[in-house]
Amino acid sequence: MNTKNIMIVGVGGQGTLLTSKILGNAAISAGYDVKVSEVHGMSQRGGSVVTYVRYGAQVYSPVIGLGEADLILAFEPLEAARALSYLKKDGILVANTRKIDPMPVISGAMEYPQDVLERIASLGVDLRAFDAMQSAQNAGNEKTLNVVLVGYLSTLGFFEESALRDALCACVPEKLRDVNLKAFELGKNAEVSAF
Amino acid sequence: MKTLFLGNEAVARGLYEAGCGFVSSYPGTPSTEITECAAKYSEIYAEWAPNEKVALEAALGACLGGKRAFCGMKHVGLNVAADPLFIGAYTGVGAGLVIGVADDPGMHSSQNEQDSRHYAESAKLPMLEPSDSAECKEFTKLAFELSEAFDTPVLLRLTTRVSHARSLVECADRQEPAAFTYEKDPQKHVMMPAYAKPRHLAAEDRLRRLSAYAETSDLNRIEFHQDALGIVCAGNTYNYAKEVFGDRASYLKLGMVHPFPEQLARQFAGKVKRLIVIEELDPFLENKFRALGIACEGKNLLSLCGEYSQDLLKERLENGSNPHHVYPDPIPPRPPVLCPGCPHRGLYYVLKKLNLRVFGDIGCYTLGAVAPLNAIDTCFCMGASVSAMHGFEKASPEAAKNSVGVIGDSTFMHSGITGLVNLCYNQANATLIILDNSITAMTGHQQNPCTGYTLKGEAVHGILPEKICEGAGVDPKHIRITDPNEPEKLEAILREELAFNGVSVIITRRPCVLLKQVKKDKLCTIESDSCKNCRACMKLGCPAIYLGGGKRPQIDGTLCTGCTLCTKLCKFGAIRTQAR
């Protein structure tokens, strides 16, 4: 199989690392070679964070290049725009619609761009956007935003749903299992917005 | 069964399997997880040392004491540990000694991007460089074998994309190494001129033997496919090159980057029509080829700066990048910021308000340099806040009235104490602020000598910075301890101490908001009726406070930690605190 490339982008603190861990484990259980590249340290302090998951017969580079991502999971609209050039022309972009202002916007130096996701959709991108934060809140814990997105991903044919569930259960503490499984379910059944 | 291991985790697994019994390190991105993971094995004694020099000296002692020893650090940590590094090359080891150093091309979390390979050459030590997690584990084990076979410390070089990439590793059992028993041997272990001269000869002789080993070792290999293009690579550049060129090129893959295998290099160069050396940062390997008189390309095509990727190779060596979408508008950057509720924020707010010159240091609090706080003048290296402030004051004595140094608790333990001693000894007029947040925060919450816990989680006596200051001779009346979330009180203390002619230390004490024991049971909200939209709260640069509807400040309840700092700045009492 050709290498599959999944990119996870968001804001430091949103739990992107857990997502990549779940996907990495799901890929191993399917018998693939896997590489996951993470970012630690300073950029985790509320900055843009990017994690790469690659799996296939044999994977060399741990990172994903321009136009190489089969799928991007964007935890925030602006980060979706920032990562867009890494998406394959026919790749899928899954985006949480809930915005987080970056510091230049908070401090008033810049404006948060209008209609980011509409702009992306107008380029002909296969965009699947929904309020994943609302789903996480409905699940009972905002921190399950990452798992809501994994739940949606389970509908896209990259992994068996059961493999994702098993990987999820292996990656979260026992006492948080139920809330995460609920978030997974809400993500799986999420209705994406039309643009 | 193969499992996913972070490169650093795989090094730790290698330590375990190799029978390593002693680890001493100082945290530094991207090296930290090696030591954190090693500490989870009960068979390995593991500790955080106050700095890398202490850590490496301890590891040298431990290997003489009979345990295979490891010391891990980031690239700039090796600068701190350079003194014992160079001497260890003369003394050699007892049981094996491996030094892990993680470089950060691209400066994901560093103040520079130096190339540690130069240390291997100048200290005359062998250096191995793995490409993925499986090699991280295997090379770590082999490094101990080499260390003992050649009686030398061995450097293991990592880079961010190897340290922080997960790939598959097959675990094996721990093997206890053959016992080493220490015997007194001053001619080998006491480095003074009479004994050191023969040890220098021994180090040079060892390097010759290591060069011979490099020629035939499995660490270095030729993968021959086609003769049109030959690529020389090591570490992660091997992965990028394979990704782009696959079997269209041939490869000289070096797992041992020092000493250089000259015969193997000549042999490879003789097989290919075009030779390109692909290496991040300096032309370390390229220069070896040039020294042999072999024509090659490398830095004429690729950069000296930043990290490489398959994109860079495609752009410079192929026909450009893949087709891709382009977002048509400018995208505001999202730089890292101090977290909501960060105890450093209150301090920087006051420093900026008083328009002080701030000599900064290394840690989360370096983020006080960016908008809207813009509060820092300099940041050089660990401990330089104290000493650079001192030098500035001696050159411009009037500067003392409006200058402070800021240093975190862990950084103070690492390299601030000697600077403080200098302030006291040389009669400085200085105000030093120690930001005591009870943890080493930037690298992900490691314990340090101030926190009261060891790496293994044992409770110990936590060292109080104020006691050290007192011992160094700072007048106890001018050692002030305060809460950075009380800006008025802090401002008053600062004014008093800046007016004092002598050494003052202000300790701003409040734990990192990300620590589990910090209660986040409150929530701040802005009452729109009382808010005059003066935006004083916005000056804090708190990520939880943003301009909402009607361009008026609002607080994001999902981000607010209830630190209440903003309530203290609102003259109109418009920010209320409620229970969560």
Side-chain angles (χ1 to χ4, degrees):
Chain A
M1 186 192 86
N2 284 337
T3 300
K4 288 279 182 201
N5 298 316
I6 301 177
M7 201 164 154
I8 302 151
V9 300
V11 178
Q14 280 190 307
T16 53
L17 287 184
L18 178 68
T19 310
S20 59
K21 206 170 170 189
I22 295 169
L23 301 188
N25 283 339
I28 296 179
S29 67
Y32 294 119
D33 185 26
V34 185
K35 278 196 176 158
V36 178
S37 195
E38 305 177 350
V39 181
H40 299 217
M42 185 175 261
S43 54
Q44 280 184 293
R45 302 273 174 263
S48 298
V49 289
V50 180
T51 305
Y52 309 98
V53 179
R54 309 190 71 215
Y55 60 97
Q58 186 166 19
V59 180
Y60 286 105
S61 172
V63 302
I64 293 171
L66 292 168
E68 287 182 357
D70 298 280
L71 173 69
I72 295 179
L73 288 184
F75 285 43
E76 201 278 340
L78 206 54
E79 299 314 309
R82 209 186 303 285
L84 184 64
S85 54
Y86 290 87
L87 190 67
K88 272 185 185 161
K89 281 289 202 178
D90 59 351
I92 302 172
L93 173 61
V94 176
N96 171 28
T97 54
R98 200 72 75 92
K99 296 175 188 173
I100 300 175
D101 286 346
M103 192 46 70
V105 172
I106 288 173
S107 66
M110 296 178 87
E111 294 269 329
Y112 195 105
Q114 294 291 307
D115 307 328
V116 174
L117 295 174
E118 287 81 353
R119 295 281 275 163
I120 291 173
S122 73
L123 298 170
V125 174
D126 184 355
L127 173 66
R128 319 285 180 92
F130 66 102
D131 189 345
M133 178 54 106
Q134 187 60 56
S135 306
Q137 285 163 340
N138 293 347
N141 187 338
E142 286 165 356
K143 288 196 159 45
T144 61
L145 169 70
N146 47 13
V147 174
V148 170
L149 291 167
V150 173
Y152 185 76
L153 180 149
S154 73
T155 66
L156 300 177
F158 285 84
F159 303 98
E160 295 289 336
E161 187 189 322
S162 60
L164 285 170
R165 276 179 190 279
D166 291 349
L168 166 65
C169 291
C171 292
V172 298
E174 179 87 42
K175 61 178 180 179
L176 294 175
R177 188 169 291 177
D178 287 347
V179 67
N180 276 293
L181 285 171
K182 193 171 173 194
F184 184 94
E185 205 61 29
L186 289 171
K188 193 180 111 187
N189 297 316
E191 287 186 25
V192 298
S193 318
F195 287 100
Chain B
M1 195 192 83
K2 288 186 175 179
T3 32
L4 268 186
F5 271 71
L6 203 60
N8 284 345
E9 211 178 347
V11 173
R13 181 72 201 183
L15 296 175
Y16 169 77
E17 291 179 11
C20 174
F22 179 93
V23 174
S24 183
S25 305
Y26 184 79
T29 313
S31 71
T32 311
E33 300 82 3
I34 303 173
T35 302
E36 287 182 320
C37 295
K40 290 179 186 156
Y41 296 105
S42 60
E43 294 88 343
I44 302 178
Y45 169 85
E47 65 178 23
W48 290 127
N51 69 31
E52 295 85 352
K53 178 178 186 289
V54 172
L56 182 49
E57 289 159 353
L60 262 171
C63 80
L64 292 183
K67 290 268 198 264
R68 282 191 166 182
F70 175 84
C71 174
M73 61 198 72
K74 68 184 290 171
H75 59 299
V76 283
L78 195 52
N79 300 337
V80 179
D83 206 349
L85 180 81
F86 279 70
I87 298 307
Y90 279 23
T91 61
V93 300
L97 171 60
V98 176
I99 301 156
V101 56
D103 288 6
D104 190 16
M107 289 181 272
H108 294 275
S109 198
S110 301
Q111 63 270 48
N112 75 348
E113 47 182 358
Q114 74 190 37
D115 190 330
S116 292
R117 294 176 299 174
H118 297 295
Y119 270 111
E121 184 161 45
S122 53
K124 303 173 188 302
L125 293 173
M127 178 180 261
L128 311 188
E129 183 169 3
S131 294
D132 58 19
S133 298
E135 285 190 354
C136 280
K137 191 186 79 139
E138 292 313 313
F139 285 18
T140 300
K141 292 167 77 172
L142 183 59
F144 279 109
E145 303 288 326
L146 292 177
S147 175
E148 287 164 8
F150 289 89
D151 188 15
T152 179
V154 175
L155 286 157
L156 182 76
R157 185 207 188 206
L158 306 160
T159 54
T160 301
R161 292 295 182 189
V162 173
S163 282
H164 288 165
R166 292 181 191 274
S167 59
L168 296 175
V169 170
E170 179 107 48
C171 291
D173 292 335
R174 179 176 168 95
Q175 301 281 331
E176 291 300 334
F180 169 84
T181 308
Y182 172 75
E183 280 174 31
K184 186 170 177 175
D185 185 357
Q187 289 174 325
K188 186 165 183 284
H189 299 139
V190 180
M191 286 304 95
M192 56 186 202
Y195 296 159
K197 283 174 186 171
R199 290 308 302 171
H200 185 187
L201 291 171
E204 297 295 350
D205 175 61
R206 174 214 294 145
L207 203 54
R208 274 189 290 277
R209 288 183 287 118
L210 280 162
S211 295
Y213 170 82
E215 299 289 356
T216 55
S217 165
D218 291 342
L219 285 164
N220 300 325
R221 67 170 190 262
I222 292 174
E223 281 179 31
F224 193 82
H225 302 288
Q226 294 184 20
D227 66 357
L229 175 62
I231 290 171
V232 181
C233 48
N236 216 16
T237 61
Y238 169 74
N239 295 319
Y240 299 139
K242 287 287 280 191
E243 185 79 30
V244 173
F245 298 102
D247 292 349
R248 289 184 291 125
S250 295
Y251 303 88
L252 174 58
K253 199 267 192 199
L254 296 177
M256 188 176 205
V257 291
H258 188 260
F260 185 70
E262 294 185 2
Q263 298 309 320
L264 193 68
R266 280 186 204 282
Q267 188 192 336
F268 182 66
K271 286 173 184 255
V272 295
K273 291 178 179 141
R274 186 185 183 195
L275 187 66
I276 305 180
V277 183
I278 302 179
E279 55 188 328
E280 289 173 320
L281 305 179
D282 295 337
F284 183 82
L285 300 172
E286 184 179 345
N287 286 345
K288 303 287 180 202
F289 278 92
R290 294 191 188 285
L292 293 175
I294 298 171
C296 64
E297 297 171 86
K299 295 298 170 185
N300 58 323
L301 303 167
L302 299 158
S303 176
L304 289 162
C305 308
E307 74 174 353
Y308 288 9
S309 61
Q310 60 260 45
D311 276 339
L312 184 83
L313 302 191
K314 281 179 190 167
E315 182 197 318
R316 305 285 173 85
L317 308 177
E318 292 267 275
N319 302 322
S321 50
N322 301 330
H324 56 270
H325 299 284
V326 178
Y327 188 77
D329 304 323
I331 302 168
R334 190 185 301 274
V337 288
L338 293 174
C339 304
C342 175
H344 304 323
R345 182 170 283 108
L347 169 68
Y348 281 126
Y349 171 77
V350 174
L351 297 180
K352 193 179 180 204
K353 185 180 172 198
L354 299 182
N355 196 24
L356 298 178
R357 182 180 298 107
V358 178
F359 295 91
D361 224 302
I362 308 288
C364 288
Y365 49 98
T366 316
L367 293 170
V370 297
L373 294 164
N374 298 315
I376 297 180
D377 285 67
T378 67
C379 172
F380 304 142
C381 58
M382 298 286 281
S385 55
V386 194
S387 8
M389 169 176 63
H390 171 66
F392 198 102
E393 184 259 319
K394 290 296 178 191
S396 300
E398 73 285 358
K401 292 194 295 290
N402 60 359
S403 298
V404 294
V406 293
I407 187 166
D409 48 335
S410 187
T411 309
F412 181 69
M413 287 292 139
H414 180 288
S415 291
I417 296 171
T418 42
L420 176 84
V421 167
N422 195 34
L423 294 182
C424 294
Y425 172 46
N426 286 310
Q427 303 166 75
N429 182 12
T431 304
L432 177 66
I433 304 172
I434 301 175
L435 289 65
D436 186 355
N437 64 351
S438 314
I439 202 75
T440 310
M442 176 95 276
T443 42
H445 283 189
Q446 289 71 36
Q447 304 297 339
N448 71 53
C450 299
T451 64
Y453 289 93
T454 67
L455 168 59
K456 291 267 191 180
E458 296 155 296
V460 288
H461 165 68
I463 296 170
L464 293 168
E466 55 267 38
K467 293 289 177 196
I468 289 178
C469 297
E470 214 177 310
V474 182
D475 181 343
K477 290 202 293 291
H478 294 284
I479 300 174
R480 313 285 295 270
I481 300 167
T482 191
D483 181 349
N485 271 18
E486 297 291 346
E488 270 186 36
K489 194 173 161 199
L490 175 61
E491 183 178 334
I493 290 173
L494 256 168
R495 287 184 188 278
E496 286 167 28
E497 297 308 328
L498 285 165
F500 170 66
N501 192 350
V503 178
S504 310
V505 175
I506 301 170
I507 299 173
T508 57
R509 183 162 283 152
R510 177 173 269 262
C512 173
V513 70
L514 300 181
L515 286 169
K516 283 202 180 109
Q517 69 261 32
V518 176
K519 284 188 188 156
K520 291 147 201 107
D521 53 357
K522 285 185 244 165
L523 176 67
C524 297
T525 49
I526 298 177
E527 274 190 4
S528 52
D529 291 350
S530 320
C531 174
K532 307 286 184 218
N533 203 12
C534 73
R535 302 187 185 177
C537 53
M538 302 289 295
K539 290 183 186 158
L540 286 173
C542 175
I545 309 177
Y546 66 103
L547 285 182
K551 295 276 170 199
R552 299 172 79 88
Q554 287 184 5
I555 293 175
D556 182 339
T558 64
L559 294 175
C560 177
T561 64
C563 79
T564 72
L565 178 62
C566 54
T567 66
K568 293 161 191 164
L569 303 183
C570 183
K571 290 183 185 139
F572 307 102
I575 309 182
R576 301 293 165 82
T577 308
Q578 61 191 72
R580 231 179 225 284

